[in-house]
Amino acid sequence: MSSWAPPAKIEDLYAKASGNKWAGINRPTAGARDETAAEVGAADIQLYSLATPNGWKVGILLEELGVEYNAHTVNIMKGDQFSKGFVGVNPNSKIPCAVDRKGGKDGSTEVHLFESASIMLYFADKFKKFVPPTDDTVARAELMNWLFWQMAGQGPMTGNFGHFFTYAPADKCEARDYGASRYGMEVQRLCSVLDQHLETRPYILGEEYSIADMACFPWFHQIVREEGYKIETNNACNFLSSTQYKNLMVWYEKILARPAVQKGIKVCGW
């Protein structure tokens, strides 16, 4: 059996990734690529995002909070996230990011926010909604468990599955088989984790709807909805048997029915 023999440097492999949906914007370096400034509206809160699973999280929270904000759509296919204005808010050039122009104890400090869970935790704490109080260390620990679980596991693994299932080059059949099976199985395991957790409670933290639910909902939505990850002959819901998780589906339908969630998933639409 032949074994993989990589070249001495990864740069010699870059061309192998050509043909995927993101090849035109992928580079190994960070930083601004143009001088375009960030759009700024009149509200104290400025959101820079796109209606993707990570973007949905913050859109849902802001709609649930009912606060005023300006939403600016970032076209990641055109590379808007590499503009000088965007990089000034988020040096990692990923959506979503946000600015609170009245942050700090005195309400006069401009706060830059990036990473979806960090943004959610900041605004939930600021407005004291959908999050346990800071002095409830037990409930806060449970919240952090699930936020970190989502950010380190559910989101990245589902995204990796989506890449191989939907976006990888059509002619990379063996790579797509490997990636879809490797990450698809892990997505199923993560769904099972949440499904079993929800067997004895209506929401992730128990009786109360929280940012943990808002953070975990979008990536499951992406593998259930018809418009989620799909190819010409199949979709993720069918491929992964996503509706097999009965407790998870009850939770999902309950959250999907919330008016603020319906609004939130449309914020910064494509």
Side-chain angles (χ1 to χ4, degrees), residues 143-187:
L143 170 69
M144 294 302 182
N145 287 342
W146 288 103
L147 287 181
F148 278 66
W149 175 88
Q150 195 289 314
M151 294 294 287
Q154 186 210 32
M157 294 301 105
T158 309
N160 287 340
F161 161 76
H163 175 81
F164 285 100
F165 186 74
T166 301
Y167 302 124
D171 62 342
K172 308 293 186 185
C173 297
E174 289 188 8
R176 292 185 75 164
D177 279 347
Y178 175 80
S181 62
R182 164 67 180 87
Y183 293 111
M185 183 186 295
E186 179 63 2
V187 170

mmCIF file of all heavy atoms in Angstrom, residues 143-187:
data_model
loop_
_atom_site.group_PDB
_atom_site.id
_atom_site.type_symbol
_atom_site.label_atom_id
_atom_site.label_comp_id
_atom_site.label_asym_id
_atom_site.label_seq_id
_atom_site.Cartn_x
_atom_site.Cartn_y
_atom_site.Cartn_z
ATOM 1 N N LEU A 143 -22.967 27.451 31.414
ATOM 2 C CA LEU A 143 -23.053 28.253 30.194
ATOM 3 C C LEU A 143 -21.751 28.189 29.415
ATOM 4 O O LEU A 143 -21.734 27.952 28.200
ATOM 5 C CB LEU A 143 -23.373 29.711 30.547
ATOM 6 C CG LEU A 143 -23.264 30.709 29.384
ATOM 7 C CD1 LEU A 143 -24.366 30.479 28.363
ATOM 8 C CD2 LEU A 143 -23.289 32.151 29.898
ATOM 9 N N MET A 144 -20.637 28.398 30.108
ATOM 10 C CA MET A 144 -19.339 28.386 29.438
ATOM 11 C C MET A 144 -19.024 27.010 28.857
ATOM 12 O O MET A 144 -18.442 26.908 27.770
ATOM 13 C CB MET A 144 -18.238 28.798 30.420
ATOM 14 C CG MET A 144 -18.327 30.229 30.883
ATOM 15 S SD MET A 144 -18.261 31.407 29.519
ATOM 16 C CE MET A 144 -18.317 32.941 30.428
ATOM 17 N N ASN A 145 -19.407 25.953 29.551
ATOM 18 C CA ASN A 145 -19.203 24.611 29.010
ATOM 19 C C ASN A 145 -19.799 24.495 27.612
ATOM 20 O O ASN A 145 -19.141 24.002 26.677
ATOM 21 C CB ASN A 145 -19.869 23.566 29.915
ATOM 22 C CG ASN A 145 -19.145 23.340 31.221
ATOM 23 O OD1 ASN A 145 -17.981 23.690 31.363
ATOM 24 N ND2 ASN A 145 -19.841 22.761 32.180
ATOM 25 N N TRP A 146 -21.037 24.934 27.472
ATOM 26 C CA TRP A 146 -21.735 24.755 26.201
ATOM 27 C C TRP A 146 -21.300 25.759 25.143
ATOM 28 O O TRP A 146 -21.265 25.437 23.948
ATOM 29 C CB TRP A 146 -23.246 24.777 26.416
ATOM 30 C CG TRP A 146 -23.682 23.512 27.087
ATOM 31 C CD1 TRP A 146 -24.006 23.340 28.402
ATOM 32 C CD2 TRP A 146 -23.759 22.217 26.486
ATOM 33 N NE1 TRP A 146 -24.302 22.020 28.653
ATOM 34 C CE2 TRP A 146 -24.161 21.306 27.492
ATOM 35 C CE3 TRP A 146 -23.541 21.734 25.197
ATOM 36 C CZ2 TRP A 146 -24.352 19.946 27.240
ATOM 37 C CZ3 TRP A 146 -23.731 20.382 24.941
ATOM 38 C CH2 TRP A 146 -24.124 19.503 25.956
ATOM 39 N N LEU A 147 -20.951 26.973 25.551
ATOM 40 C CA LEU A 147 -20.425 27.927 24.576
ATOM 41 C C LEU A 147 -19.087 27.445 24.019
ATOM 42 O O LEU A 147 -18.851 27.498 22.804
ATOM 43 C CB LEU A 147 -20.249 29.317 25.208
ATOM 44 C CG LEU A 147 -21.513 30.124 25.487
ATOM 45 C CD1 LEU A 147 -21.138 31.477 26.095
ATOM 46 C CD2 LEU A 147 -22.335 30.351 24.213
ATOM 47 N N PHE A 148 -18.220 26.942 24.889
ATOM 48 C CA PHE A 148 -16.927 26.428 24.425
ATOM 49 C C PHE A 148 -17.125 25.158 23.592
ATOM 50 O O PHE A 148 -16.413 24.944 22.606
ATOM 51 C CB PHE A 148 -16.000 26.152 25.620
ATOM 52 C CG PHE A 148 -15.291 27.379 26.138
ATOM 53 C CD1 PHE A 148 -15.994 28.425 26.730
ATOM 54 C CD2 PHE A 148 -13.915 27.499 26.046
ATOM 55 C CE1 PHE A 148 -15.354 29.544 27.198
ATOM 56 C CE2 PHE A 148 -13.254 28.621 26.520
ATOM 57 C CZ PHE A 148 -13.975 29.664 27.101
ATOM 58 N N TRP A 149 -18.070 24.319 23.989
ATOM 59 C CA TRP A 149 -18.394 23.121 23.206
ATOM 60 C C TRP A 149 -18.820 23.505 21.794
ATOM 61 O O TRP A 149 -18.390 22.902 20.821
ATOM 62 C CB TRP A 149 -19.514 22.347 23.913
ATOM 63 C CG TRP A 149 -20.031 21.153 23.181
ATOM 64 C CD1 TRP A 149 -19.529 19.874 23.251
ATOM 65 C CD2 TRP A 149 -21.161 21.085 22.299
ATOM 66 N NE1 TRP A 149 -20.276 19.021 22.458
ATOM 67 C CE2 TRP A 149 -21.284 19.743 21.868
ATOM 68 C CE3 TRP A 149 -22.085 22.020 21.843
ATOM 69 C CZ2 TRP A 149 -22.286 19.321 20.991
ATOM 70 C CZ3 TRP A 149 -23.088 21.610 20.964
ATOM 71 C CH2 TRP A 149 -23.177 20.275 20.550
ATOM 72 N N GLN A 150 -19.635 24.526 21.722
ATOM 73 C CA GLN A 150 -20.117 24.955 20.408
ATOM 74 C C GLN A 150 -18.978 25.526 19.566
ATOM 75 O O GLN A 150 -18.828 25.173 18.387
ATOM 76 C CB GLN A 150 -21.228 26.004 20.579
ATOM 77 C CG GLN A 150 -22.060 26.266 19.337
ATOM 78 C CD GLN A 150 -21.327 27.010 18.247
ATOM 79 O OE1 GLN A 150 -20.643 28.005 18.507
ATOM 80 N NE2 GLN A 150 -21.435 26.529 17.020
ATOM 81 N N MET A 151 -18.165 26.379 20.155
ATOM 82 C CA MET A 151 -17.108 27.053 19.409
ATOM 83 C C MET A 151 -15.966 26.115 19.034
ATOM 84 O O MET A 151 -15.356 26.263 17.975
ATOM 85 C CB MET A 151 -16.571 28.229 20.230
ATOM 86 C CG MET A 151 -17.564 29.352 20.445
ATOM 87 S SD MET A 151 -18.013 30.229 18.925
ATOM 88 C CE MET A 151 -16.511 31.159 18.615
ATOM 89 N N ALA A 152 -15.671 25.150 19.896
ATOM 90 C CA ALA A 152 -14.548 24.255 19.636
ATOM 91 C C ALA A 152 -14.947 22.992 18.900
ATOM 92 O O ALA A 152 -14.108 22.357 18.246
ATOM 93 C CB ALA A 152 -13.872 23.872 20.954
ATOM 94 N N GLY A 153 -16.219 22.608 19.000
ATOM 95 C CA GLY A 153 -16.659 21.351 18.421
ATOM 96 C C GLY A 153 -17.732 21.489 17.370
ATOM 97 O O GLY A 153 -17.493 21.329 16.174
ATOM 98 N N GLN A 154 -18.948 21.790 17.806
ATOM 99 C CA GLN A 154 -20.088 21.778 16.887
ATOM 100 C C GLN A 154 -19.893 22.662 15.662
ATOM 101 O O GLN A 154 -20.124 22.234 14.529
ATOM 102 C CB GLN A 154 -21.362 22.207 17.630
ATOM 103 C CG GLN A 154 -22.616 22.067 16.772
ATOM 104 C CD GLN A 154 -23.693 23.078 17.137
ATOM 105 O OE1 GLN A 154 -23.403 24.194 17.556
ATOM 106 N NE2 GLN A 154 -24.942 22.681 16.962
ATOM 107 N N GLY A 155 -19.458 23.896 15.866
ATOM 108 C CA GLY A 155 -19.290 24.804 14.733
ATOM 109 C C GLY A 155 -18.200 24.374 13.769
ATOM 110 O O GLY A 155 -18.455 24.164 12.573
ATOM 111 N N PRO A 156 -16.954 24.213 14.253
ATOM 112 C CA PRO A 156 -15.871 23.830 13.336
ATOM 113 C C PRO A 156 -16.083 22.478 12.654
ATOM 114 O O PRO A 156 -15.803 22.331 11.457
ATOM 115 C CB PRO A 156 -14.641 23.797 14.247
ATOM 116 C CG PRO A 156 -14.973 24.710 15.369
ATOM 117 C CD PRO A 156 -16.449 24.560 15.585
ATOM 118 N N MET A 157 -16.576 21.491 13.392
ATOM 119 C CA MET A 157 -16.751 20.166 12.791
ATOM 120 C C MET A 157 -17.856 20.175 11.731
ATOM 121 O O MET A 157 -17.721 19.550 10.672
ATOM 122 C CB MET A 157 -17.065 19.130 13.875
ATOM 123 C CG MET A 157 -15.932 18.877 14.844
ATOM 124 S SD MET A 157 -14.404 18.276 14.050
ATOM 125 C CE MET A 157 -13.403 19.768 14.121
ATOM 126 N N THR A 158 -18.942 20.908 12.001
ATOM 127 C CA THR A 158 -20.014 20.997 11.006
ATOM 128 C C THR A 158 -19.535 21.773 9.792
ATOM 129 O O THR A 158 -19.857 21.424 8.649
ATOM 130 C CB THR A 158 -21.266 21.656 11.612
ATOM 131 O OG1 THR A 158 -21.615 21.002 12.832
ATOM 132 C CG2 THR A 158 -22.444 21.562 10.653
ATOM 133 N N GLY A 159 -18.756 22.813 10.022
ATOM 134 C CA GLY A 159 -18.203 23.567 8.900
ATOM 135 C C GLY A 159 -17.239 22.748 8.063
ATOM 136 O O GLY A 159 -17.242 22.829 6.827
ATOM 137 N N ASN A 160 -16.414 21.950 8.721
ATOM 138 C CA ASN A 160 -15.502 21.074 7.982
ATOM 139 C C ASN A 160 -16.276 20.054 7.149
ATOM 140 O O ASN A 160 -15.927 19.782 5.992
ATOM 141 C CB ASN A 160 -14.573 20.343 8.958
ATOM 142 C CG ASN A 160 -13.517 21.250 9.548
ATOM 143 O OD1 ASN A 160 -13.215 22.308 9.000
ATOM 144 N ND2 ASN A 160 -12.958 20.849 10.671
ATOM 145 N N PHE A 161 -17.328 19.489 7.740
ATOM 146 C CA PHE A 161 -18.182 18.577 6.971
ATOM 147 C C PHE A 161 -18.751 19.293 5.752
ATOM 148 O O PHE A 161 -18.723 18.771 4.633
ATOM 149 C CB PHE A 161 -19.323 18.046 7.844
ATOM 150 C CG PHE A 161 -20.458 17.501 7.021
ATOM 151 C CD1 PHE A 161 -20.351 16.264 6.398
ATOM 152 C CD2 PHE A 161 -21.621 18.244 6.839
ATOM 153 C CE1 PHE A 161 -21.390 15.778 5.605
ATOM 154 C CE2 PHE A 161 -22.658 17.773 6.056
ATOM 155 C CZ PHE A 161 -22.544 16.526 5.433
ATOM 156 N N GLY A 162 -19.265 20.502 5.963
ATOM 157 C CA GLY A 162 -19.868 21.254 4.862
ATOM 158 C C GLY A 162 -18.883 21.541 3.744
ATOM 159 O O GLY A 162 -19.256 21.531 2.565
ATOM 160 N N HIS A 163 -17.633 21.778 4.106
ATOM 161 C CA HIS A 163 -16.630 22.036 3.071
ATOM 162 C C HIS A 163 -16.484 20.826 2.154
ATOM 163 O O HIS A 163 -16.546 20.952 0.931
ATOM 164 C CB HIS A 163 -15.278 22.380 3.685
ATOM 165 C CG HIS A 163 -14.197 22.523 2.659
ATOM 166 N ND1 HIS A 163 -14.032 23.687 1.937
ATOM 167 C CD2 HIS A 163 -13.266 21.657 2.203
ATOM 168 C CE1 HIS A 163 -13.035 23.511 1.071
ATOM 169 N NE2 HIS A 163 -12.551 22.288 1.224
ATOM 170 N N PHE A 164 -16.282 19.663 2.742
ATOM 171 C CA PHE A 164 -16.071 18.471 1.917
ATOM 172 C C PHE A 164 -17.349 18.026 1.215
ATOM 173 O O PHE A 164 -17.307 17.536 0.083
ATOM 174 C CB PHE A 164 -15.505 17.334 2.769
ATOM 175 C CG PHE A 164 -14.066 17.519 3.114
ATOM 176 C CD1 PHE A 164 -13.688 18.012 4.352
ATOM 177 C CD2 PHE A 164 -13.070 17.233 2.186
ATOM 178 C CE1 PHE A 164 -12.341 18.203 4.674
ATOM 179 C CE2 PHE A 164 -11.724 17.415 2.486
ATOM 180 C CZ PHE A 164 -11.365 17.903 3.735
ATOM 181 N N PHE A 165 -18.486 18.214 1.850
ATOM 182 C CA PHE A 165 -19.753 17.767 1.266
ATOM 183 C C PHE A 165 -20.208 18.685 0.138
ATOM 184 O O PHE A 165 -20.738 18.219 -0.878
ATOM 185 C CB PHE A 165 -20.824 17.714 2.357
ATOM 186 C CG PHE A 165 -22.136 17.138 1.901
ATOM 187 C CD1 PHE A 165 -22.277 15.775 1.691
ATOM 188 C CD2 PHE A 165 -23.244 17.955 1.704
ATOM 189 C CE1 PHE A 165 -23.493 15.234 1.279
ATOM 190 C CE2 PHE A 165 -24.458 17.432 1.297
ATOM 191 C CZ PHE A 165 -24.589 16.058 1.085
ATOM 192 N N THR A 166 -19.984 19.995 0.283
ATOM 193 C CA THR A 166 -20.565 20.962 -0.647
ATOM 194 C C THR A 166 -19.543 21.747 -1.458
ATOM 195 O O THR A 166 -19.737 21.965 -2.652
ATOM 196 C CB THR A 166 -21.457 21.963 0.124
ATOM 197 O OG1 THR A 166 -22.498 21.238 0.796
ATOM 198 C CG2 THR A 166 -22.080 22.990 -0.810
ATOM 199 N N TYR A 167 -18.454 22.196 -0.839
ATOM 200 C CA TYR A 167 -17.601 23.204 -1.466
ATOM 201 C C TYR A 167 -16.292 22.693 -2.055
ATOM 202 O O TYR A 167 -15.671 23.390 -2.864
ATOM 203 C CB TYR A 167 -17.275 24.301 -0.449
ATOM 204 C CG TYR A 167 -18.496 24.983 0.110
ATOM 205 C CD1 TYR A 167 -18.713 25.036 1.483
ATOM 206 C CD2 TYR A 167 -19.430 25.574 -0.735
ATOM 207 C CE1 TYR A 167 -19.839 25.656 2.015
ATOM 208 C CE2 TYR A 167 -20.560 26.200 -0.214
ATOM 209 C CZ TYR A 167 -20.756 26.237 1.158
ATOM 210 O OH TYR A 167 -21.869 26.846 1.662
ATOM 211 N N ALA A 168 -15.832 21.532 -1.665
ATOM 212 C CA ALA A 168 -14.550 21.037 -2.175
ATOM 213 C C ALA A 168 -14.631 20.789 -3.681
ATOM 214 O O ALA A 168 -15.711 20.582 -4.237
ATOM 215 C CB ALA A 168 -14.170 19.750 -1.444
ATOM 216 N N PRO A 169 -13.486 20.813 -4.376
ATOM 217 C CA PRO A 169 -13.496 20.610 -5.833
ATOM 218 C C PRO A 169 -14.182 19.306 -6.216
ATOM 219 O O PRO A 169 -14.007 18.271 -5.576
ATOM 220 C CB PRO A 169 -12.003 20.580 -6.195
ATOM 221 C CG PRO A 169 -11.344 21.367 -5.110
ATOM 222 C CD PRO A 169 -12.128 21.084 -3.871
ATOM 223 N N ALA A 170 -14.968 19.384 -7.286
ATOM 224 C CA ALA A 170 -15.781 18.239 -7.713
ATOM 225 C C ALA A 170 -14.944 17.014 -8.065
ATOM 226 O O ALA A 170 -15.408 15.878 -7.930
ATOM 227 C CB ALA A 170 -16.659 18.642 -8.899
ATOM 228 N N ASP A 171 -13.707 17.238 -8.540
ATOM 229 C CA ASP A 171 -12.897 16.102 -8.991
ATOM 230 C C ASP A 171 -12.071 15.463 -7.869
ATOM 231 O O ASP A 171 -11.377 14.469 -8.098
ATOM 232 C CB ASP A 171 -11.970 16.539 -10.128
ATOM 233 C CG ASP A 171 -10.983 17.617 -9.712
ATOM 234 O OD1 ASP A 171 -11.221 18.271 -8.675
ATOM 235 O OD2 ASP A 171 -9.987 17.811 -10.424
ATOM 236 N N LYS A 172 -12.146 16.003 -6.654
ATOM 237 C CA LYS A 172 -11.387 15.437 -5.525
ATOM 238 C C LYS A 172 -12.239 14.386 -4.808
ATOM 239 O O LYS A 172 -12.537 14.487 -3.612
ATOM 240 C CB LYS A 172 -10.969 16.545 -4.556
ATOM 241 C CG LYS A 172 -10.245 17.722 -5.175
ATOM 242 C CD LYS A 172 -8.880 17.335 -5.702
ATOM 243 C CE LYS A 172 -8.120 18.574 -6.182
ATOM 244 N NZ LYS A 172 -6.833 18.248 -6.810
ATOM 245 N N CYS A 173 -12.622 13.350 -5.527
ATOM 246 C CA CYS A 173 -13.603 12.394 -5.019
ATOM 247 C C CYS A 173 -13.120 11.652 -3.773
ATOM 248 O O CYS A 173 -13.859 11.510 -2.794
ATOM 249 C CB CYS A 173 -13.990 11.400 -6.108
ATOM 250 S SG CYS A 173 -14.800 12.188 -7.523
ATOM 251 N N GLU A 174 -11.880 11.175 -3.790
ATOM 252 C CA GLU A 174 -11.376 10.436 -2.629
ATOM 253 C C GLU A 174 -11.260 11.347 -1.412
ATOM 254 O O GLU A 174 -11.595 10.946 -0.290
ATOM 255 C CB GLU A 174 -10.029 9.799 -2.951
ATOM 256 C CG GLU A 174 -10.116 8.638 -3.926
ATOM 257 C CD GLU A 174 -8.789 7.911 -4.073
ATOM 258 O OE1 GLU A 174 -7.853 8.228 -3.305
ATOM 259 O OE2 GLU A 174 -8.704 7.034 -4.941
ATOM 260 N N ALA A 175 -10.789 12.564 -1.630
ATOM 261 C CA ALA A 175 -10.674 13.513 -0.523
ATOM 262 C C ALA A 175 -12.051 13.856 0.027
ATOM 263 O O ALA A 175 -12.234 13.965 1.245
ATOM 264 C CB ALA A 175 -9.951 14.772 -0.983
ATOM 265 N N ARG A 176 -13.029 14.010 -0.859
ATOM 266 C CA ARG A 176 -14.374 14.342 -0.407
ATOM 267 C C ARG A 176 -15.008 13.187 0.346
ATOM 268 O O ARG A 176 -15.691 13.385 1.353
ATOM 269 C CB ARG A 176 -15.236 14.777 -1.593
ATOM 270 C CG ARG A 176 -14.779 16.099 -2.189
ATOM 271 C CD ARG A 176 -15.698 16.599 -3.270
ATOM 272 N NE ARG A 176 -16.940 17.145 -2.709
ATOM 273 C CZ ARG A 176 -17.773 17.921 -3.388
ATOM 274 N NH1 ARG A 176 -17.514 18.224 -4.653
ATOM 275 N NH2 ARG A 176 -18.869 18.388 -2.826
ATOM 276 N N ASP A 177 -14.787 11.959 -0.123
ATOM 277 C CA ASP A 177 -15.286 10.795 0.612
ATOM 278 C C ASP A 177 -14.695 10.756 2.019
ATOM 279 O O ASP A 177 -15.414 10.533 3.008
ATOM 280 C CB ASP A 177 -14.917 9.498 -0.112
ATOM 281 C CG ASP A 177 -15.841 9.162 -1.264
ATOM 282 O OD1 ASP A 177 -16.922 9.790 -1.368
ATOM 283 O OD2 ASP A 177 -15.489 8.274 -2.064
ATOM 284 N N TYR A 178 -13.378 10.960 2.106
ATOM 285 C CA TYR A 178 -12.720 10.916 3.406
ATOM 286 C C TYR A 178 -13.230 12.040 4.312
ATOM 287 O O TYR A 178 -13.595 11.797 5.471
ATOM 288 C CB TYR A 178 -11.201 11.034 3.259
ATOM 289 C CG TYR A 178 -10.502 11.111 4.590
ATOM 290 C CD1 TYR A 178 -10.268 9.958 5.336
ATOM 291 C CD2 TYR A 178 -10.128 12.340 5.130
ATOM 292 C CE1 TYR A 178 -9.669 10.029 6.585
ATOM 293 C CE2 TYR A 178 -9.526 12.414 6.371
ATOM 294 C CZ TYR A 178 -9.299 11.261 7.100
ATOM 295 O OH TYR A 178 -8.724 11.326 8.336
ATOM 296 N N GLY A 179 -13.247 13.265 3.802
ATOM 297 C CA GLY A 179 -13.655 14.402 4.615
ATOM 298 C C GLY A 179 -15.105 14.326 5.046
ATOM 299 O O GLY A 179 -15.442 14.602 6.205
ATOM 300 N N ALA A 180 -15.988 13.956 4.110
ATOM 301 C CA ALA A 180 -17.411 13.885 4.444
ATOM 302 C C ALA A 180 -17.687 12.794 5.472
ATOM 303 O O ALA A 180 -18.523 12.958 6.371
ATOM 304 C CB ALA A 180 -18.239 13.648 3.183
ATOM 305 N N SER A 181 -16.964 11.676 5.367
ATOM 306 C CA SER A 181 -17.179 10.594 6.334
ATOM 307 C C SER A 181 -16.557 10.934 7.681
ATOM 308 O O SER A 181 -17.183 10.742 8.736
ATOM 309 C CB SER A 181 -16.616 9.274 5.799
ATOM 310 O OG SER A 181 -15.208 9.349 5.596
ATOM 311 N N ARG A 182 -15.323 11.457 7.667
ATOM 312 C CA ARG A 182 -14.635 11.792 8.917
ATOM 313 C C ARG A 182 -15.403 12.844 9.708
ATOM 314 O O ARG A 182 -15.684 12.674 10.908
ATOM 315 C CB ARG A 182 -13.220 12.300 8.600
ATOM 316 C CG ARG A 182 -12.512 13.031 9.743
ATOM 317 C CD ARG A 182 -12.190 12.087 10.900
ATOM 318 N NE ARG A 182 -11.529 12.799 11.981
ATOM 319 C CZ ARG A 182 -12.158 13.443 12.967
ATOM 320 N NH1 ARG A 182 -13.488 13.481 13.003
ATOM 321 N NH2 ARG A 182 -11.486 14.052 13.923
ATOM 322 N N TYR A 183 -15.729 13.957 9.056
ATOM 323 C CA TYR A 183 -16.392 15.040 9.772
ATOM 324 C C TYR A 183 -17.887 14.809 9.908
ATOM 325 O O TYR A 183 -18.502 15.234 10.896
ATOM 326 C CB TYR A 183 -16.089 16.372 9.086
ATOM 327 C CG TYR A 183 -14.635 16.748 9.197
ATOM 328 C CD1 TYR A 183 -13.806 16.757 8.075
ATOM 329 C CD2 TYR A 183 -14.066 17.048 10.426
ATOM 330 C CE1 TYR A 183 -12.457 17.068 8.183
ATOM 331 C CE2 TYR A 183 -12.719 17.364 10.546
ATOM 332 C CZ TYR A 183 -11.923 17.374 9.417
ATOM 333 O OH TYR A 183 -10.592 17.680 9.538
ATOM 334 N N GLY A 184 -18.482 14.114 8.941
ATOM 335 C CA GLY A 184 -19.904 13.808 9.057
ATOM 336 C C GLY A 184 -20.195 12.927 10.255
ATOM 337 O O GLY A 184 -21.169 13.144 10.989
ATOM 338 N N MET A 185 -19.347 11.909 10.491
ATOM 339 C CA MET A 185 -19.528 11.057 11.664
ATOM 340 C C MET A 185 -19.374 11.856 12.956
ATOM 341 O O MET A 185 -20.123 11.662 13.923
ATOM 342 C CB MET A 185 -18.526 9.911 11.647
ATOM 343 C CG MET A 185 -18.708 8.933 12.797
ATOM 344 S SD MET A 185 -17.411 7.662 12.876
ATOM 345 C CE MET A 185 -17.705 6.779 11.343
ATOM 346 N N GLU A 186 -18.425 12.785 12.980
ATOM 347 C CA GLU A 186 -18.233 13.609 14.172
ATOM 348 C C GLU A 186 -19.424 14.538 14.387
ATOM 349 O O GLU A 186 -19.844 14.765 15.530
ATOM 350 C CB GLU A 186 -16.935 14.408 14.070
ATOM 351 C CG GLU A 186 -16.649 15.319 15.255
ATOM 352 C CD GLU A 186 -16.454 14.600 16.579
ATOM 353 O OE1 GLU A 186 -16.499 13.350 16.624
ATOM 354 O OE2 GLU A 186 -16.267 15.307 17.598
ATOM 355 N N VAL A 187 -19.991 15.071 13.314
ATOM 356 C CA VAL A 187 -21.195 15.889 13.441
ATOM 357 C C VAL A 187 -22.330 15.059 14.045
ATOM 358 O O VAL A 187 -23.066 15.526 14.925
ATOM 359 C CB VAL A 187 -21.613 16.470 12.073
ATOM 360 C CG1 VAL A 187 -22.998 17.119 12.165
ATOM 361 C CG2 VAL A 187 -20.595 17.500 11.605
#
